[in-house]
Amino acid sequence: MNAVSEAPVLMPAKRRVAHLAMLAGAVGVVMLAYANVGLALNGSVPAGMLTYGLGLGGLVLIAYLVLAKFAPWADPLILPLVTLVNGLGLVIIYRIEEAGKEVGASAATQLFWTAIGIVMFSVTLIVLRDHRALQRLTYTAGAAGLALLIAPLLPLIGHEQFGARIWINIAGFTLQPAELAKLALAVFFAGYLVAKRDVLALAGKRLLFIDLPRARDLGPVLITWVISVGILVLQKDLGTSLLMFGAFVMMLYIATQRTSWVLIGLLLFVGGAFIAGQIFSHVGDRFNVWLDPSNSIYYEREFGGSYQLMQSLFGLGTGGILGTGLGQGSPEEIPLAFSDFIFAAAGEELGLTGLMALLLVYGLIVQRGLRTALAARDPFSKLLAGGLSFVLAWQIFIIVGGVTRLIPLTGLVTPFMSQGGSALLANWILIALLVRMSDSARRPPPQAIQDEGLTQVFQR
Amino acid sequence: MNGTLKRASLACMLLFGLLMLNVNYVQVVQAEDLRADGRNKRNLYARYEVERGRITAGDKVLAESVENKDTSSKYRYLRRYPEGEIYAHITGFFAPEQATQIEGSHNRLLNGSHPDLLIRRGIDLLNSEASKGANVDLTIMPKAQEAAHKALSQSGKRGAVVALDPKTGAILAMVSLPTFDPNPLSKPDRSEVNEAYKAIEKRAGGPLLNRAINQSYAPGSTFKVVTAAAFLEDDESRGAQTQVSAPTVLKLPNTSVGLPNSGGAACGSGTVSLVYALEVSCNTPFGQIGMDLGYDALNEQTQKFGAGEDLEIPMSVSKSTIGKEEDKAAIAKTSIGQQSNQMTPMQMAMVAAGIANNGVVMKPYLVKEIADSEGTEIEKADPEEFTTAVTEETSRKLREMMVSVVNNGTAKLAQIPGVAVGGKTGTAETADGKPPHAWFISFAPAVNPEVAVAVIVESGGRAGNEASGGQTAAPVARAVMAAVLGK
């Protein structure tokens, strides 16, 4: 493992003041956006602005204090960036709720779940002092992840909505367990691959330019593939299926450094998707709709048509370069604008400018995660941080690409923005894990003091 | 592992790069098409977002935008037409997917997006006030319009009335019956409007058609004025007393059927003065004159009255024509306003107006003035000459003869005490067995004219009775003229 012997990628620094200032900036931007919505809709600053602003500000201040105490060396950019997208998501949900057309939109619920998310973030940081403890839970995490994935199929608690069976009802709450499963599975993949990567990487023979693995080593890939296709077929959840399989293949590649795994993975997925498209009409429909959404055949179809996607594109087109301004567009015309299609709602009112900024913020979060992976000192941390960052990037790509018609639409949550408790919870924990790992990666190694008389110990 | 991690980072960068390229493509390259797509409801909302300008006629408000009382509605301003169906063919309607007549032709001024309103929008922006559309004031004289609508409605028939100011071309009244209420067609709800539209479309007589400018009819005997004009223009020495041959039946070449007078009656003693022929509306003298002058002279004279020219008032006026050249027998019938002779009521009003205005036809127009929401003038109508139909001398002779028709001839019902009214009746045969259309064209006063009118009442005459046209249509014209003159 050559990474361990390498010098740290960057000079670690705590940057507490900058961290706090950026957090205040993020909360400030959110409050201004909130005031903007109120002014545009009712001509006055909304009465709840202080409640929301101070609520969000107080929550992230707690998170900051926990972070400063329990992960002082953590990357100072991650928390402010996440606060910004979470807050903007809240504002857009509030704006859609005010428009009154989408009955499901509720900024209060989202603020509640944001609070729970931030509490879970803090709890994770306090309880999980050393993330390597997770490595011991590899198979437990794997089993938990699988159970969570299967849960919606169980008769009593499983719950079908919008044509996909991906929800469970527990004690009055509707949860989307796949979001939590993605965390558990990332832990499992990281632990499993760290243990097996040598055999996966080295055994096998070379064919042309590609190192092919041994047939018996294909097992884990095939099992994951079968589970992914299972999700696709049984839960009609294209997004989660694509997310899980893509994350697994990428982590396999990072661990083994073998391109052949990527190729095998791609072939398996494309093959699986093709066959599914032939057999299951809803998969094929998604593809046809993607190719020609403005066709009236698809536009006027009641189920599985292109109405929603076209509304999203109409919103984006109307927004143009500068957007209509918060509160001045009609994002409520897009069905589910507060959840899966929140990115399109942002595109209508904030315009191309706003979307580019949002994508940059997301890109930065992912980049900070990957940087943590590079700087990490043990293979499990590298693999887990890299895997979680990629999961985030891959999820954003799938859903944003879907609503902007870059790729066929598959339903997924836009991390931190879409309304939904389980997703907020899971993603805040994901961020807590990244923060924990960045803390240990950036913490200066204990220095051996050889000559106390001559060496001055300096720490920032 | 760092090597693969770096490659994974590159992959992530590629994913974000693709997303960014794609949003640029959608929001910049495709934006225009997506914005303009008919299924994009945001267009509809934008349509009702601005306070659209008023359409007025004098102090009468014909169309206005009022704030939606339902504040939760996405439609902020709603269009209403306080006068309803009386002005429907002039204002048009403002439906979710279309706007017609003045609402359509002046849409960008009314909604404030016209380049001429740029300065106004700039000032509004600086004062952070919502921009309003410009107001359009029409030439319509509400008293005349209402009189025309009332008088024509009383006949119980379909038809049209056009009244012009002969000296300027300003349209004082323009009525078409049956008509419709523009209010239900101007609601923002697409399906509601479509239903209302279909219901109106289904009603008999085509209420949406503006007969005054978009329907042409055989002009019947009113066209004899044009034939007389050509006859007088042909030779300056001719006048009202010029004797013309007037057989009971005019022999037509190459056919055994002759052209009789109305009801087969004789016309004087066989040779009569031109003015007498016009007063009594004999067919045979004008048939003979037409055949003598030939197709080209008659066609040229009609065009000099403006027929066949492109005309927008600003609504486009259908073209009138005497038809293609056929044989001599056809010219005889064309000369008395039959055969393929097809004139719009607007064209016949222009004939009357040209004669009244010393032979000069002024270009008809409907918009008097456009002013922005603060009252600053943006556009003002400038009367312009459209065509010169006849010489001043000829117009004087025609005026005298037409006054004589009202005083002594078939159009006595158009008389207004104390005012010299000139006019000409017409009874246009349509199909065998159906009642003919009743026509009347007129102007008043004969000297220094203030109004010229054309009236058509569909199926308003009785077959074989030339005077019947005058009986139905002349009182309508009289009511309009009296309203304009304040009598």
Side-chain angles (χ1 to χ4, degrees), chain A residues 253-309:
Chain A
Y253 171 71
I254 294 173
T256 61
Q257 317 187 12
R258 280 174 84 156
T259 323
S260 56
W261 287 118
V262 177
L263 292 176
I264 291 168
L266 276 176
L267 278 175
L268 281 173
F269 192 81
V270 170
F274 180 76
I275 293 166
Q278 298 294 312
I279 299 174
F280 304 101
S281 65
H282 70 273
V283 181
D285 280 350
R286 295 286 176 97
F287 192 76
N288 292 333
V289 160
W290 172 63
L291 285 179
D292 188 13
S294 70
N295 192 324
S296 57
I297 296 173
Y298 301 123
Y299 187 79
E300 278 148 26
R301 191 187 283 175
E302 197 171 352
F303 296 106
S306 66
Y307 179 83
Q308 192 178 23
L309 179 60

Side-chain angles (χ1 to χ4, degrees), chain A residues 313-378:
Chain A
L313 293 177
F314 288 155
L316 289 170
T318 308
I321 292 173
L322 291 174
T324 58
L326 277 172
Q328 296 178 59
S330 304
E332 70 279 5
E333 290 299 321
I334 312 166
L336 292 184
F338 59 96
S339 89
D340 286 10
F341 279 75
I342 197 161
F343 203 76
E348 177 174 354
E349 301 210 317
L350 299 175
L352 175 63
T353 322
L355 288 193
M356 290 298 279
L358 272 174
L359 286 174
L360 277 175
V361 170
Y362 275 128
L364 261 177
I365 297 172
V366 170
Q367 187 259 353
R368 297 319 284 186
L370 288 165
R371 193 151 258 247
T372 299
L374 279 174
R377 296 187 182 116
D378 63 297

Side-chain angles (χ1 to χ4, degrees), chain B residues 400-479:
Chain B
E400 279 167 13
M401 287 195 287
M402 285 172 76
V403 170
S404 187
V405 171
V406 172
N407 288 343
N408 315 312
T410 52
K412 294 197 176 97
L413 284 172
Q415 289 172 0
I416 301 172
V419 181
V421 177
K424 180 71 193 88
T425 56
T427 307
E429 307 287 342
T430 47
D432 281 340
K434 283 202 176 160
H437 296 332
W439 271 98
F440 191 69
I441 63 171
S442 67
F443 53 84
V447 182
N448 211 3
E450 288 175 41
V451 58
V453 185
V455 175
I456 178 155
V457 183
E458 287 184 22
S459 310
R462 287 192 304 281
N465 185 344
E466 178 51 42
S468 59
Q471 278 162 14
T472 326
V476 178
R478 184 195 176 281

Side-chain angles (χ1 to χ4, degrees), chain B residues 4-290:
Chain B
T4 41
L5 268 174
K6 282 175 187 162
R7 254 166 266 156
S9 307
L10 267 178
C12 288
M13 214 169 94
L14 184 73
L15 294 182
F16 278 99
L18 282 173
L19 288 178
M20 287 180 178
L21 276 179
N22 186 54
V23 289
N24 272 281
Y25 176 68
V26 173
Q27 296 202 278
V28 179
V29 181
Q30 288 188 320
E32 203 52 53
D33 291 341
L34 290 168
R35 231 171 278 160
D37 194 301
R39 296 171 292 193
N40 188 347
K41 275 193 192 156
R42 291 161 185 85
N43 295 329
L44 197 58
Y45 299 145
R47 209 172 158 81
Y48 295 90
E49 191 56 36
V50 280
E51 185 173 352
R52 211 171 152 76
R54 287 190 306 272
I55 301 175
T56 54
D59 50 5
K60 196 142 244 174
V61 176
L62 308 184
E64 63 182 345
S65 282
V66 287
E67 200 149 359
N68 196 344
K69 285 192 195 87
D70 178 7
T71 46
S72 67
S73 167
K74 289 289 280 183
Y75 308 109
R76 215 162 133 215
Y77 289 99
L78 300 179
R79 200 72 169 154
R80 62 186 279 268
Y81 302 85
E83 303 297 323
E85 58 176 30
I86 300 180
Y87 297 87
H89 289 113
I90 296 166
T91 57
F93 54 85
F94 182 67
E97 278 157 326
Q98 101 187 99
T100 61
Q101 315 301 349
I102 294 290
E103 291 277 29
S105 65
H106 284 64
N107 186 34
R108 296 195 62 196
L109 284 156
L110 286 165
N111 72 19
S113 67
H114 196 275
D116 288 354
L117 293 167
L118 205 63
I119 296 170
R120 181 78 255 152
R121 283 206 302 275
I123 295 171
D124 288 338
L125 194 68
L126 285 179
N127 296 338
S128 64
E129 276 174 29
S131 265
K132 296 178 189 170
N135 298 322
V136 176
D137 188 31
L138 303 181
T139 56
I140 296 289
M141 201 179 208
K143 271 193 300 182
Q145 178 80 7
E146 279 155 27
H149 184 260
K150 190 172 161 212
L152 191 58
S153 300
Q154 276 169 353
S155 75
K157 302 267 165 72
R158 299 167 194 165
V161 179
V162 175
L164 299 174
D165 181 338
K167 281 185 275 191
T168 60
I171 299 171
L172 303 175
M174 183 162 74
V175 169
S176 173
L177 285 184
T179 179
F180 60 95
D181 184 356
N183 286 303
L185 296 182
S186 305
K187 299 244 161 70
D189 187 312
R190 231 179 274 206
S191 57
E192 207 180 314
V193 166
N194 283 347
E195 224 143 273
Y197 189 88
K198 273 183 206 141
I200 290 173
E201 234 180 1
K202 245 184 245 164
R203 267 161 39 197
L208 293 162
L209 172 70
N210 184 357
R211 290 172 154 73
I213 57 172
N214 292 328
Q215 175 71 51
S216 51
Y217 304 88
S221 301
T222 55
F223 194 77
K224 287 172 185 165
V225 174
V226 179
T227 308
F231 181 64
L232 295 173
E233 287 280 277
D234 191 45
D235 184 346
E236 270 178 41
S237 66
R238 287 172 185 156
Q241 297 308 322
T242 303
Q243 296 294 305
V244 290
S245 95
T248 305
V249 176
L250 178 65
K251 278 189 192 129
L252 298 179
N254 305 325
T255 168
S256 56
V257 186
L259 178 69
N261 288 315
S262 180
C267 179
S269 54
T271 305
V272 297
S273 66
L274 184 63
V275 64
Y276 179 82
L278 205 63
E279 277 168 14
V280 187
S281 200
C282 302
N283 288 339
T284 52
F286 291 99
Q288 185 62 54
I289 288 171

